[in-house]
Amino acid sequence: MIDLVQLEAAGEIVRAPALAVRLPAAPRRYYYHGWQSWSPAIWTDTELRLPTPHPKRLHPMQFDPAHIFEPHPHGSGLAAVEMEDGGVVLLGALGMDAHVELAGNEVRGTYEGTTGEWFVDRGDERSVFAHYARELGKRLGKKSSNSAPRVWCSWYSLFTAIDEPRLARVFDGLENLPFDVLQVDDGWQQSVGDWEANAKFSSGMQTLAQRIKATGRRAGLWLAPLIAVKSSRLFRQHRDWFLRDARGRLVSAGFNWGEQLYALDTTHPLVIQWLKGLMQKTRAWGYDYLKLDFLYAGALPGQRHTATAREMAYRESLETMREVLGEDAFLLACGAPILPSLGVCDALRIGPDTAPQWESQRDAVLLHNPAIPGTRNAIRTTLNRMWLKPLVHIDPDVVYFRSVDCDLTPQQKYLLQSLALVCDFRATSDLPQWLGESERDSLREFLTARPRIEQTGARSFKLDGRELDYSSVMELTTTPDRWTAIKGATFGWLANHTWTLRIDHELGKRSLRRRMKDAF
Ligand code: 9PG
């Protein structure tokens, strides 16, 4: 049974397993809210049918796999529509495990196998989202309003090519640039699942943390605690810890690093114990800024050891990790389901990865995939999730100042840097050795700036009086012509094979090795 709410009920809270809001007419635009950090958040014309993003093998790590093929406009947790007169109607869940859709003149929300509260409001875009955020904060909690620490992160320059000598050169080169955290990203571990230092870090992770702390900064570390690659010891030794579907088959958590990913069942008592041990270990090594990544894996659909709704199961596992890490640690959740992370993490990545490229024809047109790393994708989704700012530190991902190994134009870099200032989250991966004198000055200014920020519209701001308009970044490439659609379908089919993904991974590694030999 669906409860029906007439639109007079603005600003109202209703408790129901499912709820429909009848609109006076068909809306003009629809706000699609993707499930996790990397999934897109976009406003589109309701008429527009977005093609299925490719490759499908990546769906579990980019979208909510339970809903990716839905015919109507739909989204995770909340939906908003814009009416002919420009007014916005919002239907948002105030709990976990809810999905919404637009069917004709009705916005419908459903809790997956549970019940909970709904918030319904109408008005102008900024005010309905602000009210919704306030209600979410009351129920899920919110984190401190102190500024987020300023982070140097190893990923977007060195990628997996990190090792002790390279990091030492970076730490030396940073001199007195005002970073609060030096965060070691992917590349230190033996395998995704086997969280011990690999041969490139033979002095051990504790020594590395000490070296960072000796520069006067906090030590940060990347971990993907809820997934494992197929070749990891963890997966080989504990197959029974991993999530399965109703037919007993292992659930895919996506494909990355040239390998199949699997998800831990975080309701399994031995998994909980293992997770606690892992968090204790990283704290004991000396890291107190944790970037916990690929967290969506904790909320994938499947049969769990304990029959807990999937997002609730994820939230409980995040709470467990938080508890062991302690309140004095800073927890950045990445690749994380949005609503279930609120109140537990300190910061939340709210868009896909930025990249030293703006947008590729391959990703935007052929694969039609706005979750793939790219600066335009990152800016678009981050802006559409700015409403989360009162609840959590919103991470728009790193910005770029360098010209070495970077195709972004000065204007594109400026748009991204300014967005980070608006979000009040400052991070970069630029190697100090790659920066010219004026680029280094700009980075220092960025790290120390306290600009006066005024939001002048849904997608425009004034920074110290300087106009900043993102409207040109926001649109998605629309329906492709027939020839492009055929090319895209063929390319998407090719890209879906494990051998193509493996070759792509190998080529990526080779190109990284070459770039590093030349540049660092
Ligand atoms: C390390 C990286 C960095 C980065 C994270 C995450 O959907 N995708 O294809 C996709 C690929 C990589 C990725 C996210 C999504 O990157 O966001 O900051 O830590 O892992 O491997």
Side-chain angles (χ1 to χ4, degrees):
M1 218 359 233
I2 299 184
D3 282 16
L4 196 68
V5 170
Q6 294 298 335
L7 246 193
E8 296 83 77
E12 198 174 307
I13 291 164
V14 184
R15 193 180 173 81
L19 189 76
V21 179
R22 181 151 305 157
L23 306 167
R28 181 163 78 177
R29 291 176 58 83
Y30 178 82
Y31 175 77
Y32 166 88
H33 184 253
W35 186 43
Q36 49 115 330
S37 309
W38 307 325
S39 324
I42 349 170
W43 277 99
T44 60
D45 289 347
T46 39
E47 300 299 301
L48 190 71
R49 285 288 160 271
L50 296 175
T52 304
H54 290 288
K56 293 184 180 165
R57 204 171 284 278
L58 301 191
H59 284 176
M61 61 184 262
Q62 297 180 329
F63 306 91
D64 184 343
H67 296 283
I68 180 82
F69 295 115
E70 247 156 62
H72 305 297
H74 66 99
S76 296
L78 67 141
V81 290
E82 188 188 282
M83 307 303 292
E84 260 331 302
D85 64 2
V88 169
V89 176
L90 181 144
L91 171 67
L94 296 170
M96 318 290 111
D97 295 287
H99 204 77
V100 289
E101 62 170 338
L102 172 71
N105 291 8
E106 265 180 30
V107 187
R108 297 184 190 148
T110 314
Y111 276 98
E112 213 176 271
T114 84
T115 187
E117 289 177 309
W118 296 98
F119 174 73
V120 187
D121 202 7
R122 63 172 169 172
D124 69 89
E125 181 182 341
R126 280 160 64 196
S127 82
V128 296
F129 276 91
H131 288 157
Y132 177 50
R134 203 155 56 215
E135 294 302 326
L136 275 175
K138 283 188 210 160
R139 287 155 183 86
L140 300 178
K142 48 185 190 175
K143 282 291 162 187
S144 86
S145 52
N146 297 338
S147 282
R150 297 161 294 183
V151 182
W152 186 86
C153 156
S154 62
W155 182 248
Y156 303 82
S157 50
L158 297 171
F159 298 96
T160 49
I162 50 172
D163 57 29
E164 285 177 355
R166 277 208 178 104
L167 287 183
R169 266 185 284 155
V170 173
F171 300 162
D172 287 345
L174 290 172
E175 293 172 355
N176 62 355
L177 280 169
F179 287 103
D180 305 304
V181 175
L182 304 185
Q183 183 244 313
V184 179
D185 214 282
D186 184 4
W188 63 271
Q189 72 284 1
Q190 290 180 1
S191 179
V192 171
D194 303 334
W195 304 104
E196 293 292 340
N198 59 32
K200 298 186 294 171
F201 291 87
S202 53
S203 314
M205 296 313 287
Q206 183 157 18
T207 306
L208 185 61
Q210 277 160 358
R211 285 188 187 144
I212 294 173
K213 288 190 282 182
T215 74
R217 300 175 177 106
R218 294 169 76 170
L221 193 63
W222 173 92
L223 291 155
L226 304 184
I227 54 164
V229 292
K230 194 175 179 179
S231 67
S232 64
R233 257 179 291 121
L234 184 76
F235 178 72
R236 282 183 285 121
Q237 292 173 0
H238 299 288
R239 269 173 165 263
D240 55 319
W241 288 6
F242 288 83
L243 189 64
R244 289 172 187 269
D245 64 16
R247 288 164 59 185
R249 295 170 306 188
L250 284 159
V251 168
S252 168
F255 198 94
N256 204 20
W257 303 282
E259 280 202 66
Q260 179 61 47
L261 313 184
Y262 294 112
L264 283 165
D265 174 359
T266 63
T267 67
H268 192 300
L270 294 175
V271 173
I272 299 175
Q273 221 174 58
W274 177 87
L275 276 176
K276 286 182 174 170
L278 177 60
M279 296 300 127
Q280 260 153 12
K281 181 168 76 179
T282 48
R283 279 300 318 246
W285 282 339
Y287 298 88
D288 69 354
Y289 177 100
L290 281 307
K291 174 178 174 185
L292 302 185
D293 204 357
F294 290 78
L295 292 179
Y296 64 88
L300 286 171
Q303 297 295 117
R304 291 184 162 70
H305 189 267
T306 310
T308 317
R310 58 193 178 110
E311 290 190 351
M312 190 56 94
Y314 158 69
R315 185 173 175 85
E316 284 170 6
S317 76
L318 193 64
E319 280 168 348
T320 302
M321 293 190 276
R322 161 101 257 173
E323 230 173 80
V324 177
L325 290 171
E327 281 301 318
D328 58 328
F330 191 94
L331 196 173
L332 164 63
C334 187
I338 300 296
L339 298 193
S341 303
L342 297 174
V344 188
C345 60
D346 297 285
L348 180 59
R349 238 305 258 298
I350 55 165
D353 293 14
T354 63
Q357 290 80 34
W358 181 246
E359 178 173 68
S360 79
Q361 161 88 359
R362 183 197 75 174
D363 301 343
V365 179
L366 294 181
L367 297 177
H368 229 283
N369 189 332
I372 292 183
T375 292
R376 185 179 181 184
N377 285 341
I379 292 181
R380 185 195 299 111
T381 290
T382 297
L383 269 162
N384 283 328
R385 289 220 184 92
M386 289 283 289
W387 59 270
L388 288 159
K389 191 163 188 281
L391 301 173
V392 65
H393 291 298
I394 46 174
D395 173 10
D397 205 7
V398 305
V399 308
Y400 302 79
F401 289 89
R402 67 192 200 229
S403 342
V404 177
D405 201 33
C406 183
D407 301 333
L408 299 172
T409 65
Q411 174 63 10
Q412 291 164 347
K413 286 186 216 173
Y414 172 73
L415 284 174
L416 181 61
Q417 293 156 8
S418 307
L419 180 63
L421 292 175
V422 172
C423 291
D424 196 18
F425 195 102
R426 297 149 214 245
T428 189
S429 290
D430 288 352
L431 303 182
Q433 288 82 352
W434 282 357
L435 297 175
E437 204 175 313
S438 73
E439 289 166 345
R440 196 182 169 102
D441 289 345
S442 309
L443 168 59
R444 183 185 295 278
E445 204 179 302
F446 168 78
L447 293 171
T448 49
R450 298 229 150 264
R452 206 166 14 86
I453 294 161
E454 197 189 323
Q455 184 158 11
T456 50
R459 272 148 282 285
S460 57
F461 305 86
K462 265 189 181 165
L463 240 81
D464 279 338
R466 214 166 143 178
E467 304 272 355
L468 195 59
D469 188 353
Y470 287 96
S471 39
S472 67
V473 181
M474 304 308 287
E475 292 305 314
L476 270 188
T477 328
T478 44
T479 323
D481 61 53
R482 257 187 73 174
W483 173 232
T484 316
I486 294 170
K487 266 202 311 198
T490 316
F491 195 76
W493 174 81
L494 261 176
N496 203 37
H497 290 79
T498 51
W499 56 267
T500 326
L501 291 163
R502 282 202 184 100
I503 291 173
D504 188 56
H505 176 68
E506 281 310 313
L507 292 177
K509 274 207 309 211
R510 217 173 280 180
S511 134
L512 177 64
R513 231 176 286 138
R514 207 175 326 112
R515 278 180 357 245
M516 284 303 133
K517 221 170 80 203
D518 292 347
F520 198 60

